[in-house]
Amino acid sequence: MPVRRALFVPAALALGAALTLTACQSGGGTGDAQQGAKPTQAATAGAAGAAGGTTGAPAAAAANPTGAPGAPGAPAANGTKARPTIPAASSSHGGGGEAAGGEAYAYAHPCEAAKLSVRVTTRAEAPGQRVIEVRNQGTAACGLSYYPQLSLGDSHAADHGQDVRPLVPGGLGGAPAYPVAAGQTAYAVLDLNPGGATGGAASGIDELNVLADGDHMANSDTHNFPLGSGAKVGKPKLGLYRGSVAEAAASAAGADRQS
């Protein structure tokens, strides 16, 4: 009997110790799981934010680890909206879009005589007509008067008060100037003797005087061109500046008032 009691007590103690140890291990494991759940939930929230387009810092860092700017209109890493890139304005007239190449710019900026070349030639299909070519050699568009200021006279005369002035088209209106883009040429046609009349031609006229813009330029900017031998001048007509010689010649045919 004593032997049996000695064996029973240690067994009971061993069983109690085992139960106590199991309870402690179970409680410690539950605590560790609860503490570890916070990082897991945060990571899950960050992943959801990245998928849903939120501006949280973890999501932004994952989506853009290099710090490069986002696409136009997309949320940036700091929560502000990125500005889209605006293309630079193109220029078709050599001066920077509307800033220096458009018609509005030309209307507000008269052509400078120093930036123009002026040339007079005889029209091949009409020997009695002269073509005035005014080329814009500047880097920006500019505006000319509707037609050049012309006079015809004697190159040897001391007084040019008797010079002949051509008829020009009347009833003009619309744009404030004739725009000429950089590198482009404006044409005007002068018909020395419309209809080829043999009578009434002025005598002693051998020179054509051309001022590209009579509205804004000084008389000292006038260019003088010889008419050539045998030229007959009788009630000459001058057309408006145009983009081609044919258009300028058609305009000259409608000249009806004294310049």
Side-chain angles (χ1 to χ4, degrees):
M1 290 298 292
V3 175
R4 290 182 180 179
R5 288 184 62 183
L7 293 175
F8 176 76
V9 173
L13 292 173
L15 178 60
L19 291 174
T20 303
L21 180 60
T22 301
C24 293
Q25 290 177 346
S26 176
T30 303
D32 292 341
Q34 290 174 348
Q35 293 175 359
K38 292 182 180 180
T40 304
Q41 292 171 355
T44 304
T54 60
T55 58
N64 192 6
T66 61
N78 61 357
T80 60
K81 190 173 183 180
R83 295 185 179 181
T85 301
I86 301 175
S90 60
S91 171
S92 61
H93 301 283
E98 285 296 316
E103 291 184 357
Y105 183 91
Y107 296 152
H109 295 79
C111 294
E112 300 176 34
K115 295 181 180 180
L116 300 177
S117 67
V118 181
R119 190 169 75 126
V120 173
T121 61
T122 299
R123 192 179 181 199
E125 59 270 40
Q129 295 181 354
R130 298 294 183 269
V131 179
I132 297 96
E133 303 176 7
V134 179
R135 183 176 179 80
N136 180 3
Q137 295 182 316
T139 58
C142 62
L144 290 170
S145 52
Y146 288 167
Y147 47 82
Q149 179 177 295
L150 304 185
S151 65
L152 301 107
D154 184 348
S155 60
H156 302 93
D159 179 13
H160 288 271
Q162 299 302 315
D163 284 4
V164 176
R165 293 186 177 275
L167 297 176
V168 295
L172 303 179
Y178 180 81
V180 188
Q184 299 299 309
T185 301
Y187 300 93
V189 168
L190 172 68
D191 192 340
L192 297 174
N193 188 17
T198 56
S203 60
I205 296 180
D206 62 355
E207 185 177 62
L208 172 60
N209 309 302
V210 180
L211 183 60
D213 187 336
D215 294 340
H216 301 96
M217 295 179 182
N219 288 333
S220 58
D221 295 319
T222 299
H223 297 264
N224 311 110
F225 299 92
L227 283 178
S229 59
K232 294 183 178 181
V233 179
K235 298 182 180 180
K237 291 185 176 184
L238 170 66
L240 304 175
Y241 277 126
R242 288 291 183 260
S244 70
V245 174
E247 291 176 327
S251 176
D256 57 2
R257 73 174 182 88
Q258 191 64 54
S259 62

